[in-house]
Amino acid sequence: MSLELSDKRVLVTGGAGLVGSHLAAHLSEDNHVVVADDLSKGARERVPDGVEFVQADMTDPDDVSEAVTEDLDIVFHFAAYTDTNYGNPRQLFEENTEMTYNVLERMQEVGVSDIAFTSSSTIYGEAPRPTPEDYAPLEPISIYGSSKLADEGLLSTFAHSYDFTVYMYRFANIVGPNQRGNVIPDFIEKLLEDPETLEILGDGRQEKSYLHVEDCIDAMCHVVEHADRDYNVYNLGTRTTTSVTTIANIVADVLDLDPEFEYTGGDRGWTGDVPKMRLSIEKLSALGWEPDGSSDQAVRRAAEELAAELRAEYE
């Protein structure tokens, strides 16, 4: 059932990361927000003022018990390894699913039954585009995608067998300030180091949908406040895509540079990379939400924000 996000007590796991910290800031205006994060990737300074912070590892049941308390109205579970090319894939899979199971078990123990979860477009694998939520079979090609699909299975079970209400988000590529380790900040960092040349993984034709983090937060809250099933699955993205070469051109333009592009070759950047992705957002549109801008606009906005941050670090 839908839940109005005002005067609620909300837990955001992974709340010191990109999406989690922006959500915490947004929700803290009308709710009491608790952020739980082990700070392995997130940063303490990203947690907004006025938000309660618990340093907690969601793979540790004792830490989960400290964070997930009976007075919560909803849990936004974002804590996860999010690198699709992570160096230890077994750790990624085991700990992502362990974190989700720990959170669900603890919620059941204390009687909290509303959970919003960040899944991923990677659960679809190399699917026809635009990909709707009811597309099947789901055949992820990365361990990260496999872990998110396993998490979805757990959440489905708790929704259908244990009276949970689940809000499931299948993300396009989310971009915005304070982000590191993704294509936009990587290109900026490379060009600040060497303004003359830019190495691009693959052939540059990889093409995906990008959504600015602020639009993402707005869409997530809209789903919680308007979706009315026990198990609610929504793609979050834009109706357009951006190629890797276009991202390189946007970043170069933002930095006022004209580098030579050097491609490593091949149709994907790494093993498990889905070369082309565009999600259908017709279901989200029918719920009453549309993105503010295009994928290219989201990339340019993020590039401008990140360029300002990274230039300050390099000075």
Side-chain angles (χ1 to χ4, degrees):
M1 300 298 290
S2 59
L3 180 72
E4 184 180 351
L5 291 171
S6 62
D7 296 320
K8 299 294 189 296
R9 186 173 178 89
V10 180
L11 172 67
V12 183
T13 74
L18 172 70
V19 179
S21 61
H22 280 82
L23 179 72
H26 177 79
L27 291 178
S28 65
E29 296 174 10
D30 298 307
N31 302 273
H32 181 92
V33 178
V34 182
V35 160
D37 200 298
D38 67 357
L39 302 181
S40 60
K41 188 173 181 181
R44 178 66 180 88
E45 58 268 22
R46 290 190 198 169
V47 179
D49 293 339
V51 168
E52 184 180 342
F53 177 72
V54 178
Q55 186 162 343
D57 178 353
M58 294 295 107
T59 66
D60 184 332
D62 290 336
D63 284 7
V64 175
S65 294
E66 182 182 356
V68 180
T69 51
E70 63 184 6
D71 55 351
L72 294 173
D73 294 292
I74 185 171
V75 174
F76 285 82
H77 177 43
F78 296 174
Y81 292 92
T82 58
D83 186 350
T84 56
N85 194 29
Y86 189 67
N88 187 338
R90 187 180 187 93
Q91 179 188 20
L92 179 151
F93 183 86
E94 291 181 349
E95 295 194 11
N96 274 0
T97 52
E98 183 180 13
M99 284 187 267
T100 301
Y101 212 144
N102 284 347
V103 168
L104 288 167
E105 279 190 321
R106 176 60 178 170
M107 289 175 65
Q108 187 177 31
E109 182 181 325
V110 298
V112 178
S113 59
D114 281 46
I115 182 168
F117 177 74
T118 53
S119 186
S120 167
S121 63
T122 58
I123 61 106
Y124 293 116
E126 298 188 58
R129 302 176 304 279
T131 314
E133 290 85 350
D134 59 0
Y135 171 77
L138 299 174
E139 298 180 355
I141 64 170
S142 66
I143 296 299
Y144 172 72
S146 299
S147 76
K148 288 296 186 180
L149 186 55
D151 285 334
E152 286 201 13
L154 283 171
L155 286 149
S156 173
T157 301
F158 274 76
H160 295 303
S161 296
Y162 301 113
D163 296 323
F164 272 54
T165 299
V166 173
Y167 306 96
M168 182 80 67
Y169 311 117
R170 292 175 179 166
F171 281 177
N173 288 22
I174 309 303
V175 294
N178 300 316
Q179 191 170 38
R180 301 293 185 270
N182 298 82
V183 63
I184 301 172
D186 282 355
F187 281 174
I188 294 170
E189 289 172 338
K190 285 178 178 178
L191 287 172
L192 289 174
E193 290 282 352
D194 177 7
E196 302 298 323
T197 60
L198 177 63
E199 182 186 67
I200 297 175
L201 300 181
D203 58 14
R205 297 192 188 113
Q206 306 97 305
E207 194 171 311
K208 301 176 185 180
S209 180
Y210 293 82
L211 181 69
H212 192 273
V213 64
E214 290 190 6
D215 281 345
C216 176
I217 299 307
D218 192 50
M220 287 194 297
C221 293
H222 186 89
V223 168
V224 171
E225 294 193 321
H226 294 88
D228 59 4
R229 300 171 65 94
D230 293 334
Y231 188 63
N232 305 280
V233 181
Y234 285 86
N235 290 335
L236 270 57
T238 59
R239 298 182 185 277
T240 53
T241 57
T242 306
S243 73
V244 174
T245 295
T246 298
I247 294 173
N249 282 319
I250 290 171
V251 168
D253 183 59
V254 166
L255 295 176
D256 197 23
L257 298 173
D258 186 22
E260 291 289 327
F261 296 161
E262 297 180 350
Y263 298 94
T264 62
D267 67 347
R268 65 194 72 215
W270 56 85
T271 300
D273 180 27
V274 176
K276 296 185 186 295
M277 177 274 290
R278 180 164 71 92
L279 302 177
S280 168
I281 59 168
E282 296 308 315
K283 185 177 177 183
L284 184 59
S285 177
L287 197 67
W289 190 89
E290 291 279 347
D292 274 345
S294 67
S295 181
D296 283 6
Q297 288 172 316
V299 169
R300 180 170 291 275
R301 180 179 175 187
E304 290 169 349
E305 293 163 335
L306 288 162
E309 293 173 9
L310 289 165
R311 273 177 166 149
E313 291 179 13
Y314 274 76
E315 288 177 353

